Amino acid sequence: MGKQVTEMLKGVLEGIVLAILSGRPAHGYEITAWLRDQGFSDIAEGTIYALLIRIEQRGLVDVEKVPSEKGPPRKVYSLNAQGRAYLEEFWRTWSFLTERLEQLHERGN
Amino acid sequence: MGKQVTEMLKGVLEGIVLAILSGRPAHGYEITAWLRDQGFSDIAEGTIYALLIRIEQRGLVDVEKVPSEKGPPRKVYSLNAQGRAYLEEFWRTWSFLTERLEQLHERGN
DNA sequence: CCCATCTATTTAGTGTTGCTAGGTACCAGT
DNA sequence: ACTGGTACCTAGCAACACTAAATAGATGGG
């Protein structure tokens, strides 16, 4: 994809990851793979790990270290209460944006 | 609004302004006022002017200086062919994003 | 045994973008 | 002269995603 996606992802990627975690706990490698699967073909691995550390430091997720059979131990992240609240706020903000843009798009303004 | 909007606007605000200009030529002050009207209550004026200069340098818009009765001359921006192509690409990228997020939101994933 | 490969995470440095917080300038009304 | 509305510009900052590495454990092939 292009530079447009990269810029649009700013602020949105965080919501995406939180949304994923709201369904089930997951670790970084898993999330990256899932995103690639969903068509986010060139989200850098480093980006996800950095993002996870960020939301951890903000207290939106809890972390647990879990041994893996296939490699180094995994850091499994799960959404906590604060994260859930933040995610709700994210969806409200997102709805606001999509509504404005839909109006702009439809009336070819 | 909050920091969430600020981050989400990155990359999107540019599309919004181009979409506005696709309807009719406009100048910076006008665009800022319109955005505030639409609920983007705290988009800084400086942001819009900087953005306009950016898209001008990228060759997405044409500019014409028009005298105003009420103040300094206006710089009226209008979308050109290249800008129109870029805007279409923006809408495609935006659709991609909204589809993924809608899926995430609906299945409360 | 060594190397490639997959799993899994980390980090330093870069570019783009929106915000802060000013400033300049023109004009009308008081 | 002063205020307020119109109209634009700029320097410095913070946040975020990307680049491009490095580290490290496990497994299988040559």
Side-chain angles (χ1 to χ4, degrees), chain A residues 40-93:
Chain A
F40 295 99
S41 45
D42 47 31
I43 286 184
E45 280 212 282
T47 300
I48 298 300
Y49 288 112
L51 191 158
L52 288 170
I53 288 170
R54 219 161 58 222
I55 61 179
E56 179 192 350
Q57 283 171 348
R58 283 198 205 139
L60 305 179
V61 289
D62 296 328
V63 194
E64 197 190 353
K65 219 159 205 165
V66 178
S68 163
E69 329 82 37
K70 296 180 159 188
R74 298 164 169 169
K75 279 176 76 177
V76 175
Y77 294 84
S78 53
L79 206 61
N80 61 26
Q82 209 182 325
R84 237 168 272 282
Y86 189 85
L87 179 58
E88 268 180 52
E89 177 66 18
F90 168 82
W91 284 127
R92 274 193 293 275
T93 306

Side-chain angles (χ1 to χ4, degrees), chain B residues 42-83:
Chain B
D42 46 30
I43 287 184
E45 276 211 285
T47 299
I48 299 299
Y49 288 113
L51 190 158
L52 287 170
I53 289 171
R54 219 162 57 221
I55 61 179
E56 180 192 350
Q57 284 171 347
R58 283 198 205 142
L60 305 179
V61 289
D62 297 327
V63 193
E64 197 189 355
K65 219 161 203 163
V66 178
S68 162
E69 329 84 38
K70 294 180 160 187
R74 297 165 170 169
K75 280 177 76 177
V76 175
Y77 294 84
S78 52
L79 205 60
N80 60 27
Q82 209 182 323

